[in-house]
Amino acid sequence: MVAMKRAVGQHHGNLRRAIIDAALDVIAASHVDDVTLRAVARRAGVSAAAPYHHFADKDALLAAVALDGFEALGKRQLEILSGNGDAEFKLARMTAAYVSFAWQHETHYRVMFRALLPAGGTFKDAALEAAARDSFERLVGAIAAVNPALSTDQAVARALVAWSLAHGAVDVGRCGAALSAEFDAAGFANDVGAAVRRLAVEPPEDGGQH
Amino acid sequence: MVAMKRAVGQHHGNLRRAIIDAALDVIAASHVDDVTLRAVARRAGVSAAAPYHHFADKDALLAAVALDGFEALGKRQLEILSGNGDAEFKLARMTAAYVSFAWQHETHYRVMFRALLPAGGTFKDAALEAAARDSFERLVGAIAAVNPALSTDQAVARALVAWSLAHGAVDVGRCGAALSAEFDAAGFANDVGAAVRRLAVEPPEDGGQH
DNA sequence: TGTACATCAGTGAACGCGCGTTCACTGATGTAC
DNA sequence: TGTACATCAGTGAACGCGCGTTCACTGATGTAC
């Protein structure tokens, strides 16, 4: 898919995209820290300097990779939301889609979170922040659809908890698999989905909409 | 606390411990990847080669740091479990202790998980694995105490979900703070605790103890 | 259609850097007699 | 108590490495006339 042959000096069709794809390849086979600009360039079959014509620096490349991930996840969410089924079914599918995305593209998922949470604690990439926010808003919407009695604040609060659950399940699932040979990943994913459902369904203490 | 003066060539009192403390200092001010052996040695006021008299290599040092974290967390858990209060109160305190440990010593916490989840997917350090397992078992016990109708398998399954929740809350809390200025960290932590409580309390579908 | 030229998207060599680790060493400490 | 000696826990210099990034360059492409 990557590293197509090319006469020296010839222009590349769409190197920007090819570099992101190469980064995904490198990432798929790596621990997060092993993702280096040079490894990505190597994988794309291009010199180490070439990426600088498309990205300001390594962080910008990783931000683009992260954005790519949020877009893929967002697309998946939109498919589910615009598909068939009632609100509870859609929430279940969204939860499952999130966890399985993170499990299947683990390093990519970690890059997404790392780009989202730089050292300072504030975002630097507006597009990335917007994509993350959109994704979160869709979760809030899915929960509100399941439980219309919730105020917006309540739906947001529950979405934060649901997000924590799904996010934490990525690492815990890996730990579970390592800690115990008979760890049941599918059962665990199911438990997570059920917990999110219960969380959403629970009536508000004050009846909501104050 | 670290880097005490010493005549050249003189023996250090307990450099092993001093190096771990220096690592914690470096870690407290760092992103996870910035933790280097050399920085730790520098911080301990010792040559870059000195740690090799106490740790096989960098990974072994980080494993020791991770173990230190699990032991601190375990001590906290035992204090709570042996203290006053009913089972629900103790579970609430354990959840709060976990989340606040992770928030207050964030990089340390990340080192713990990183050491626990090496690239391969299987643990390499037996002491570390044992400490992590003990910590998890205490959570299982706390949940079983809250809800005696649960079978062991059911308590384990719920503990995994509760662990995911607390673990995920670390990153999500940081994201929430970054995404929204009026993010209420204390309220969020409270929501997480309440969710864990509800998770534990929920009666088993089949009445448990089959 | 042909030619001149600006622009674009690559190359490859080089930079300085900090890293993990090794090594021969040295001085302080503990022990045997 | 003194002396000889093995061991221990440091030092500092050096190693090779791969990294991110810069730079002058070059050949292909697109455009004006």
Side-chain angles (χ1 to χ4, degrees):
Chain A
M1 165 212 297
V2 145
M4 55 200 79
K5 291 283 174 56
R6 203 164 12 88
V8 187
Q10 191 179 332
H11 282 200
H12 192 288
N14 183 358
L15 185 55
R16 194 190 138 87
R17 184 65 235 175
I19 286 173
I20 292 180
D21 287 339
L24 292 175
D25 286 354
V26 169
I27 273 169
S30 289
H31 201 251
V32 196
D33 323 305
D34 302 337
V35 181
T36 65
L37 232 194
R38 291 179 99 107
V40 169
R42 236 175 275 133
R43 179 83 194 190
V46 116
S47 78
Y52 287 91
H53 284 280
H54 300 273
F55 304 96
D57 54 22
K58 188 192 174 187
D59 279 349
L61 166 58
L62 289 181
V65 168
L67 183 57
D68 180 90
F70 277 107
E71 283 170 351
L73 190 57
K75 194 176 152 221
R76 193 80 198 83
Q77 289 179 321
L78 289 175
E79 283 171 12
I80 291 168
L81 289 176
S82 69
N84 296 322
D86 64 8
E88 275 195 32
F89 176 75
K90 286 179 180 176
L91 179 61
R93 291 237 292 159
M94 279 183 66
T95 305
Y98 189 95
V99 173
S100 79
F101 176 89
W103 274 351
Q104 280 166 34
H105 313 99
E106 188 177 327
T107 303
H108 192 184
Y109 181 73
R110 289 189 199 283
V111 168
M112 286 160 62
F113 253 85
R114 168 167 309 194
L116 212 50
L117 293 175
T122 43
F123 297 150
K124 33 183 185 181
D125 187 310
L128 197 54
E129 176 177 348
R133 200 188 295 275
D134 285 354
S135 180
F136 179 68
E137 289 303 330
R138 285 193 270 272
L139 176 60
V140 174
I143 287 176
V146 165
N147 192 341
L150 298 174
S151 69
T152 300
D153 282 357
Q154 287 170 335
V156 166
R158 294 190 188 198
L160 284 169
V161 175
W163 189 15
S164 300
L165 197 31
H167 179 65
V170 179
D171 281 342
V172 170
R174 280 239 286 148
C175 270
L179 274 165
S180 150
E182 69 264 17
F183 175 73
D184 174 10
F188 174 56
N190 200 59
D191 290 345
V192 169
V196 170
R197 185 196 143 274
R198 255 182 269 122
L199 181 70
V201 155
E202 178 95 359
E205 292 186 5
D206 62 0
Q209 319 289 20
H210 34 208
Chain B
M1 162 211 301
V2 146
M4 54 199 78
K5 291 284 174 56
R6 202 163 13 88
V8 187
Q10 192 178 333
H11 282 198
H12 192 289
N14 184 357
L15 186 55
R16 193 191 138 88
R17 183 65 234 176
I19 286 173
I20 291 179
D21 287 338
L24 291 175
D25 286 353
V26 170
I27 273 169
S30 289
H31 200 250
V32 196
D33 322 305
D34 301 337
V35 182
T36 67
L37 231 194
R38 292 180 100 107
V40 169
R42 236 175 276 134
R43 178 86 193 186
V46 117
S47 77
Y52 287 91
H53 285 279
H54 300 273
F55 305 95
D57 54 19
K58 188 191 173 187
D59 279 349
L61 166 57
L62 288 181
V65 168
L67 183 58
D68 179 271
F70 276 108
E71 282 170 352
L73 191 57
K75 196 177 150 217
R76 193 80 197 82
Q77 288 179 321
L78 288 174
E79 281 170 14
I80 291 169
L81 288 175
S82 69
N84 295 321
D86 64 8
E88 275 197 31
F89 176 75
K90 286 178 179 178
L91 178 61
R93 292 237 292 158
M94 279 184 65
T95 305
Y98 189 93
V99 172
S100 80
F101 176 89
W103 273 352
Q104 279 165 35
H105 314 99
E106 187 177 326
T107 304
H108 192 183
Y109 181 73
R110 289 188 199 283
V111 167
M112 286 159 65
F113 253 85
R114 170 169 309 197
L116 211 50
L117 294 174
T122 43
F123 297 151
K124 34 182 185 183
D125 187 310
L128 197 55
E129 176 176 349
R133 200 187 295 273
D134 285 352
S135 180
F136 179 68
E137 289 302 330
R138 285 192 270 271
L139 176 60
V140 173
I143 287 175
V146 165
N147 192 341
L150 298 174
S151 69
T152 299
D153 281 358
Q154 287 170 336
V156 166
R158 293 189 189 201
L160 284 169
V161 175
W163 189 15
S164 300
L165 197 32
H167 179 65
V170 179
D171 280 343
V172 169
R174 281 239 286 144
C175 269
L179 274 165
S180 150
E182 70 265 17
F183 175 73
D184 175 10
F188 174 57
N190 201 60
D191 289 345
V192 169
V196 170
R197 186 197 143 275
R198 254 183 270 122
L199 181 69
V201 155
E202 177 94 1
E205 291 186 6
D206 63 359
Q209 320 287 23
H210 32 205

